[in-house]
Amino acid sequence: MPFFLLVSAFLPLLADGAGLLRSVGWQFVAFGGALPVAALAALLFPPVRPLEVSAVRSLCGVPAELLAEGPAVSWAARGRTALWFVAHLLAGGIVSGMTLAAPPAAVVLLVLPFSDSLRHAGLGWPDAFHGAWAPLAGLALLALVAGTSWAAGTLLARCAPALLGPTPADRLAAAERRAADLASRNRLARELHDAVGHALSAVTLQAGAARRVLDADPEFARRALAAIEETTRAAVAELDTVLGLLREEDGSDPAAPAPTLDGLAALLDRTRAAGVPIEADVEGRCTGLPPVVSREAYRIVQEGLGNALRHAGPVPVRLAVRASDADVTIRVENAVPGAGSAAPDARAGGGRGLRGIAERARLLGGVATAAAEDGVWRLTARLPLKGATP
């Protein structure tokens, strides 16, 4: 109606005649002229597409997965939306006009044989409508309105997926959004696994040791409980850091920064408190590294030590960290209980931590490997410093 009224306001400027707008023929001309204006509006205003998608889902029953989401950004999508908009308005205008004019005429035809005043009113209809055929013509007219409405709805429902469905650009944008969401979820999963998993493994060993010697060596049990307290406090702090990542996702202020290699000594102390002897060899400066490399390196060391706690128990662990101008290399080695040429059964069914380590290294352009060889489980990772970005 707005487009129709706009064109109707300009028609008198193009042709003379006081009764121009009252002419049925000129009203059809105005209706036809309104369609290109509507197409232009659909081209210029991207929000037309989500409005039309909502209408199609509500009125035509088209499944949501067949329709695009969001405004039409590309000109190809805008063109398809404009074509749909014109088809929608054309079908809607025809059905609206019929539902305004046909029902009153059908009622007159239905009562015409029974009303002398209507028969002599000079309606200008053919003589056949003044007889017994009039009610049948009225019913046929109503059926025509219903059939036209059904046909228009069916046609529009079939055209909607082609004209309002996602374009290749829409599918690419949706795939990028899904990839970003998956990357965010994987990032949080890695942080939770490495931060909380290491602490729980250490607490499990400390609690088990305290339980076994509680009566025989109360002093050792007290030290183990103190270590549990310290470990859980650190785990709570790291959990707050992970929650800070969630706050970064929703735009809120982040919590405390994630731990880096500057906190390596505290991590080793907590692990040793769990009863794991660690031989650490740190070469180069672990301070002043790019923050993202330092954070990922800390998590890789943490997960390597956590793997030793979970799968090997309190066995000696050798840790080597080398920081050069080009990269940071990490190696974690521990003896495999029941040494053999492969990892023990205790490692079966896991793999999330190792997969997380590989993802951390790969996202920085590095590489990480883990395997058992000659009775030694060896985890190695290389993180390049060049071009390291979050």
Side-chain angles (χ1 to χ4, degrees):
M1 186 59 68
F3 305 113
F4 175 79
L5 294 177
L6 180 64
V7 174
S8 298
F10 282 93
L11 277 180
L13 303 178
L14 304 178
D16 297 328
L20 179 65
L21 296 182
R22 292 193 296 270
S23 170
V24 175
W26 279 105
Q27 289 183 12
F28 278 107
V29 172
F31 176 68
L35 295 177
V37 180
L40 180 62
L43 282 173
L44 297 180
F45 296 100
V48 169
R49 186 171 73 172
L51 293 176
E52 289 299 298
V53 166
S54 299
V56 168
R57 292 173 59 184
S58 301
L59 302 178
C60 297
V62 178
E65 58 269 16
L66 299 180
L67 303 174
E69 296 180 357
V73 178
S74 65
W75 286 107
R78 294 187 185 188
R80 292 164 60 180
T81 302
L83 184 59
W84 162 265
F85 197 41
V86 170
H88 182 187
L89 296 186
L90 176 61
I94 293 173
V95 173
S96 298
M98 292 181 66
T99 53
L100 286 173
V107 172
V108 172
L109 288 172
L110 289 172
V111 302
L112 188 60
F114 312 102
S115 174
D116 293 336
S117 59
L118 288 177
R119 285 198 300 269
H120 298 88
L123 297 175
W125 290 351
D127 293 338
F129 285 168
H130 291 267
W133 293 103
L136 295 178
L139 294 176
L141 191 58
L142 293 176
L144 178 63
V145 174
T148 303
S149 301
W150 173 84
T154 302
L155 181 62
L156 291 177
R158 291 185 178 181
C159 294
L163 298 179
L164 293 180
T167 62
D170 294 327
R171 293 189 178 94
L172 179 60
E176 290 175 347
R177 288 193 298 270
R178 287 194 295 271
D181 291 342
L182 182 60
S184 178
R185 291 172 57 186
N186 286 340
R187 176 192 183 193
L188 294 174
R190 289 194 300 268
E191 295 294 328
L192 281 172
H193 180 278
D194 295 350
V196 180
H198 174 84
L200 291 179
S201 299
V203 167
T204 299
L205 284 179
Q206 292 162 347
R211 176 181 57 81
R212 286 192 297 269
V213 301
L214 180 61
D215 297 327
D217 192 350
E219 180 61 28
F220 177 85
R222 280 194 292 270
R223 291 198 303 270
L225 291 174
I228 290 174
E229 179 183 3
E230 181 181 354
T231 302
T232 53
R233 185 181 296 112
V236 170
E238 292 202 30
L239 182 59
D240 186 61
T241 299
V242 176
L243 295 178
L245 296 177
L246 287 173
R247 298 189 184 101
E248 287 180 348
E249 297 292 337
D250 62 19
S252 304
D253 293 334
T260 62
L261 283 179
D262 294 340
L264 181 60
L267 174 64
L268 296 179
D269 290 341
R270 291 195 300 271
T271 307
R272 290 188 179 107
V276 177
I278 300 177
E279 179 185 340
D281 180 14
V282 180
E283 182 179 327
R285 294 181 57 187
C286 292
T287 59
L289 296 173
V292 64
V293 175
S294 188
R295 289 196 300 267
E296 299 305 315
Y298 178 91
R299 291 302 191 195
I300 290 174
V301 172
Q302 186 181 48
E303 174 58 20
L305 298 178
N307 272 339
L309 284 171
R310 284 189 293 271
H311 302 297
V315 299
V317 176
R318 291 184 296 276
L319 169 67
V321 179
R322 304 280 190 274
S324 66
D325 294 336
D327 56 25
V328 174
T329 58
I330 300 167
R331 177 177 297 174
V332 182
E333 298 178 347
N334 63 269
V336 176
S341 59
D345 293 339
R347 293 186 183 270
R352 293 183 180 87
L354 297 178
R355 186 162 59 245
I357 290 175
E359 290 174 354
R360 291 180 186 277
R362 186 169 58 251
L363 290 174
L364 293 179
V367 63
T369 60
E373 183 178 358
D374 298 330
V376 176
W377 179 264
R378 183 176 294 108
L379 166 68
T380 59
R382 175 185 173 274
L383 307 179
L385 299 183
K386 185 178 180 180
T389 56

